[in-house]
Amino acid sequence: MADNNQHNTIEEQMAAAEYGSDAIKHLEWTEHIRLRPGMYIGKQGDGSHSDDGIYILLKEVIDNSIDEYAMGFGKRIDVKVADDGMVSVRDFGRGIPLDKLDACVSEINTGGKYDNSVFKKSVGLNGVGLKAVNALSTHFFVRSVRNGEMKEITYKAAKKVEERPVEASEEMNGTYVEFKPDNTIFEGYKFRMEYVETLLRNYSYLNTGLALYLNGKRFISKNGLADLLDERMDSTPLYPVIHLMGDDIEVVITHGNSYGEEYYSFVNGQYTSLGGTHLAAFKESSARVIKDFFSNKNFEFSDIRNGMCAAIAIKVQEPVFEAQTKTKLGSTRMSPDPNDISVQKFVGDFLKRELDNYLHREPATAEAMLQKIQSSEKERKELAGLSKQAKERAKKVNMHNRKLRDCHIHYNDTKGNRQDESCIFITEGDSASGSITKSRDVETQAVFSLRGKPLNCFGMTKKVCYENEEFNLLQAALNIEDGLDGLRYNKVIIATDADVDGMHIRLLMMTYFLQFFPELVRTGHVYILQTPLFRVRNKKNTFYCYSDEERVDAIGKCGANPEITRFKGLGEISPDEFKAFIGAGMRLDTVRLRKEDTVKEMLEYYMGKNTMERQEFIINNLVIEEDKVE
């Protein structure tokens, strides 16, 4: 009887999922982009993260202008971003052919980059970029000027609403694109200018001599990738930056007194934040060349690369990326020709020749590099015994580790690869971790519970990561002891109470990451969870407020005598309420490092022994705030 019931159940399921001609649907390309934007621009987002969709739209437009410059046309690009979200990009290249203007921005797989004689080493080759921008914008306007003639077309969600005939123009040649992202797709979006500036700075480093203007502010580079390291590196270089250039490749290398590795990689002017074949080739080849140079030493690659800060940019004919967002290079060869040189060999041969020659020519640089490698080797050997013992301890408690409540993606892959969605909340205390644990998505969200305030590890060596039980278990949970390649969670979220103690715990955790795993911060994996300070409600409405301004606004909306609750800790928020704060609308602040944020000096000021200096700063600033109130 049991078997028969099972048979009937399967038959019923098959009948319910009958696959017939009615199941076949056709979507116009514009509908497909709007229905599945992630296939074309990665994620959507609201602009709070640098990889949100609105920045990809802007990048797709600028990429076309960069390709013009790379081909020798136009030395200036003007970008404007208005407060209402309207964006414009004007280049001074050749301009899109007027008779093909409509097709180039509204017909999928149409463009000029299929012909290598016109665009030899372009970023985009599939004719999707501008069309995706058009389809995902409520307003899209394009103007092309070529040899005294001009044509203009206006669209709404890729539907043409106005096309002006060709007319005479005295403007300089080039293309002007204006668009406004669709707020129904990018809900509540806002351009963060720091992300836009970073985008333009990267373009300037890779295109020396090109002037880019953002709302009138100029970005230009004379020294290419060397300027990038000077801007991004948050520790003092131990020796002058090694700057190597060749046909279709540029490399810069130095070391700093910090843990971890820091890399920036580019292909045809595109920042490949996830690396790819070119970065893998660089990491392996640079370490091998350095090891061979110090042939009397048997260095390990990890010691050679510890503290290394480097960047590589290459140009590949018809590059293959692993996604439309072009963040990871998949090409294994320098061109589609199967007989062409591999990316690995191209990068390796260049470094073997140029880096080896440089180290022979500059003995002072070679000596400084040697001292750094030997220092890393010495510390690694000192930690070897501790590391083995710590791993054993972590392994023993892992199965019964109450500190870590893991998520399913690490032992259940039936729903596909959701690694990008994975995150871990680092919180303190049973009540706070309990609220998050009960509210979380068990598929993608893990929780790590601290016991009280963690150790202030400023000024300590990495030895503390193995001797301190909590730090040992945390690095084991994250799987970052040997670098970020094994990082188990895409987002590492510090979730503490919105009070003084919570802020202190937040600073202690940031100190831990900045001291021992700064690359985790540099690569944008560390976040701060913003939780509401107040709940304002009446019988009809409930508002969660993250600031005093939001509280005042909510009181106005609720009318007379609303109930106002001040949340002092995460444990006070019920699990049902907490779901709203760690779900789709979760508010996260990315922990970022700027040029002026030299890690050693910053940690020394905030977490060092200069108690009186910090106390004086707090008192002085409190007085200023009181004066403002008066």
Side-chain angles (χ1 to χ4, degrees), residues 23 74 227 238-239 329 371 381 420 505 539:
D227 287 339
L238 298 179
Y239 52 84
L329 180 68
Q371 290 181 10
K381 289 181 177 179
D420 287 348
I505 294 171
K539 292 182 178 179

Side-chain angles (χ1 to χ4, degrees), residues 14-29:
M14 292 179 64
E18 185 177 350
Y19 179 57
S21 58
D22 291 342
I24 306 298
K25 305 294 182 183
H26 171 74
L27 290 176
E28 294 293 332
W29 68 268

Side-chain angles (χ1 to χ4, degrees), residues 32-308:
H32 190 268
I33 292 177
R34 292 177 66 82
L35 183 64
R36 299 283 187 267
M39 293 180 61
Y40 301 88
I41 60 167
K43 65 177 184 177
Q44 290 157 250
D46 62 1
S48 57
H49 304 297
S50 60
D51 59 348
D52 282 350
I54 58 173
Y55 304 111
I56 304 301
L57 298 185
L58 174 57
K59 187 185 72 63
E60 291 287 358
V61 178
I62 298 178
D63 280 348
N64 290 285
S65 301
I66 294 296
D67 288 336
E68 282 292 305
Y69 174 77
M71 293 299 293
F73 302 94
K75 295 183 178 181
R76 172 175 177 147
I77 299 173
D78 291 325
V79 179
K80 294 182 180 179
V81 179
D83 291 339
D84 66 354
M86 186 73 76
V87 179
S88 67
V89 178
R90 170 65 155 104
D91 68 43
F92 298 88
R94 291 165 289 185
I96 299 173
L98 305 188
D99 60 334
K100 297 294 183 180
L101 185 60
D102 181 36
C104 282
V105 301
S106 67
E107 292 183 16
I108 204 72
N109 298 328
T110 300
K113 300 176 187 177
Y114 301 104
D115 183 351
N116 284 330
S117 65
V118 181
F119 289 95
K120 293 182 179 179
K121 287 167 184 174
S122 168
V123 175
L125 294 168
N126 53 16
V128 172
L130 278 181
K131 290 80 170 175
V133 180
N134 194 349
L136 298 174
S137 299
T138 55
H139 167 81
F140 184 93
F141 170 83
V142 61
R143 176 195 303 130
S144 180
V145 183
R146 284 174 68 96
N147 305 322
E149 291 186 322
M150 176 179 71
K151 186 175 180 64
E152 299 177 339
I153 311 177
T154 304
Y155 303 84
K156 182 177 181 180
K159 303 296 183 182
K160 190 189 306 182
V161 294
E162 182 181 9
E163 180 174 3
R164 297 176 63 87
V166 176
E167 58 185 69
S169 174
E170 296 182 357
E171 285 192 35
M172 295 178 63
N173 282 358
T175 302
Y176 173 88
V177 173
E178 180 182 272
F179 68 96
K180 188 172 185 179
D182 192 331
N183 198 52
T184 64
I185 295 174
F186 309 98
E187 294 184 20
Y189 78 86
K190 179 182 179 182
F191 282 95
R192 270 62 171 181
M193 297 311 290
E194 63 266 31
Y195 294 148
V196 182
E197 287 192 9
T198 297
L199 180 65
L200 267 60
R201 287 186 195 277
N202 284 342
Y203 281 124
S204 71
Y205 300 140
L206 296 163
N207 300 275
T208 53
L210 172 64
L212 299 106
Y213 290 81
L214 174 60
N215 294 345
K217 183 178 180 179
R218 188 178 75 154
F219 300 88
I220 191 168
S221 172
K222 295 181 179 179
N223 303 305
L225 293 183
D227 287 339
L228 181 147
L229 285 200
D230 181 64
E231 174 67 28
R232 302 286 178 81
M233 198 171 175
D234 50 50
S235 62
T236 303
L238 298 179
Y239 52 84
V241 172
I242 300 172
H243 195 174
L244 309 173
M245 297 188 70
D247 292 338
D248 295 334
I249 187 170
E250 179 181 2
V251 166
V252 288
I253 304 171
T254 191
H255 279 82
N257 266 330
S258 60
Y259 290 103
E261 307 166 33
E262 184 176 357
Y263 301 107
Y264 303 92
S265 63
F266 304 84
V267 175
N268 295 9
Q270 164 68 33
Y271 175 43
T272 46
S273 58
L274 298 180
T277 53
H278 59 319
L279 181 57
F282 170 81
K283 291 169 69 174
E284 195 277 335
S285 299
S286 61
R288 185 172 300 282
V289 169
I290 293 170
K291 180 177 181 178
D292 291 346
F293 176 80
F294 298 112
S295 56
N296 60 327
K297 312 287 185 182
N298 189 27
F299 291 133
E300 292 194 6
F301 283 3
S302 60
D303 296 327
I304 293 172
R305 292 198 294 249
N306 184 41
M308 179 180 284

